[in-house]
Amino acid sequence: MTTTTPNQATTAESSPTSSADHGATRTALVTGASSGIGEDTARRLQALGCIVYGAARRTDRLQALAAGGIRPLAMDVTDDASVTAGVNRILEETGRIDILVNNAGYGSYGAIEDVPIDEARRQFEVNVFGLARLTQLITPHMRTQGSGTIINISSMGGKLTTPLGGWYHATKYAVEALSDALRMELRPFGIDVVVVEPGGIRTEWASIAADHLEATAEGSAYADQIRAVAGAMRSESNNRRYSPPEVIARTVGRIVTARRPRTRYAVGFMAKPLIAARRVLPDRAFDQLIGAAFGFRR
Ligand code: NDP
């Protein structure tokens, strides 16, 4: 495997563009580009003039992006060799990485008691350690460039918790904490770290989360809760209320073109009101609000 050195990034400093001057040829990597938020974000960054790499495991689902000039990258964020090879390829081809959008993720739903601990570990491998490993591989190059923007797609679920989502929320709370630490650590090197906290977004996320949840149902003591939460996840009327993924893509576009982006963007269906409710309500009052939303009996 070809290894990259910081010198490759240094060579690229002679490029006419850099993250700081918002020029036309910044290189961006978007994970989870085969669907939903990542797919729209890859298109948005390309429309802004970036060279965009779209990464995912299902490369067949990257073909439409590839037809439009986005460079497909086979990557499983839980596989160190695949992540390393992807980063090396980008550096070999473009000499730099200016924008990293850590977006790949899924919801492993189920009662804390029911989710096998190996599946809980996998949830962290994808949503937390995948994001962290990719970040570790890319920050040395951004430091050498003296610029870069890392955008971590967290969730409103990184600020509040719902029943049967404990493992998922734990990963997103972890993303929030890692992002805060990274922002402080990387500021001296001219690298921005920004968190996006989507609300309900119309993608494949909810049906995948419902699949995971229903897989825990057999013999579960939480059958009533599982039915209620899975029903809400599969509800067509809920789905219609969700925001389209373009709202997150546009937010990412605003972040990468801002002179000084905010540290956090809560965007999409119910993100702002629910985060505000969690902030002001006492724990038990918030529990009641969420329980009532799912129709839980007291
Ligand atoms: P989708 O299910 O539509 O897309 C998820 C993407 O993640 C897919 O491209 C998938 O690609 C990729 N992915 C999953 N596992 C891996 C893996 N091991 N390695 C590499 N890629 C992987 O969901 P969204 O677009 O909605 O989700 C994007 C992000 O937004 C996630 O982090 C999610 O938690 C977050 N989010 C979503 C919300 C929503 O309501 N939709 C709300 C709040 C946050 P592939 O399977 O091909 O590898």
Side-chain angles (χ1 to χ4, degrees), residues 31-39 55-62 75-79 82 102-107 122 125-127 153-157 168 171-172 196-208 242-243 245 248 267:
T31 65
S34 61
S35 173
I37 291 171
E39 186 173 350
R57 292 167 304 174
R58 293 170 297 175
T59 47
D60 55 313
R61 295 274 304 259
L62 295 171
M75 185 185 287
D76 180 340
V77 296
T78 67
D79 174 356
S82 131
N102 279 311
N103 165 73
Y106 75 103
R122 175 153 180 81
E125 286 294 338
V126 175
N127 291 10
I153 307 298
S154 172
S155 171
M156 65 177 170
Y168 176 69
T171 66
K172 293 300 189 180
V196 178
E197 295 160 339
I201 309 293
R202 211 178 303 123
T203 68
E204 293 171 20
W205 185 93
S207 69
I208 293 171
Y242 291 166
S243 307
I248 305 300
V267 201

Side-chain angles (χ1 to χ4, degrees), residues 102 127-128 131-132 135 150-155 159 171-187 191-197 263-264:
N102 279 311
N127 291 10
V128 179
L131 168 153
T135 302
I150 298 171
I151 300 171
N152 290 334
I153 307 298
S154 172
S155 171
K159 287 286 180 58
T171 66
K172 293 300 189 180
Y173 276 64
V175 167
E176 296 275 335
L178 286 171
S179 301
D180 282 337
L182 273 173
R183 186 181 64 249
M184 293 184 262
E185 290 170 10
L186 293 174
R187 185 66 245 158
I191 301 166
D192 275 320
V193 179
V194 180
V195 178
V196 178
E197 295 160 339
T263 57
R264 278 185 166 71

Side-chain angles (χ1 to χ4, degrees), residues 42-43 46 50-54 62-72:
R43 288 188 209 282
Q46 190 196 34
C50 298
I51 296 170
V52 181
Y53 288 81
L62 295 171
Q63 292 318 306
L65 291 181
I70 289 165
R71 303 180 186 188

Side-chain angles (χ1 to χ4, degrees), residues 1-50:
M1 190 186 303
T2 315
T3 52
T4 48
T5 66
N7 285 343
Q8 283 174 278
T10 310
T11 311
E13 277 183 334
S14 57
S15 155
T17 58
S18 74
S19 159
D21 58 28
H22 303 144
T25 55
R26 281 189 286 171
T27 298
L29 168 59
V30 180
T31 65
S34 61
S35 173
I37 291 171
E39 186 173 350
D40 277 16
T41 297
R43 288 188 209 282
R44 182 80 199 135
L45 291 173
Q46 190 196 34
L48 288 171
C50 298

Side-chain angles (χ1 to χ4, degrees), residues 198-243:
I201 309 293
R202 211 178 303 123
T203 68
E204 293 171 20
W205 185 93
S207 69
I208 293 171
D211 289 346
H212 279 271
L213 176 55
E214 285 164 351
T216 68
E218 202 182 315
S220 172
Y222 303 82
D224 290 349
Q225 293 186 36
I226 292 171
R227 236 184 328 274
V229 174
M233 284 169 162
R234 296 209 189 273
S235 152
E236 263 313 306
S237 57
N238 277 352
N239 207 34
R240 272 195 299 275
R241 281 197 284 268
Y242 291 166
S243 307

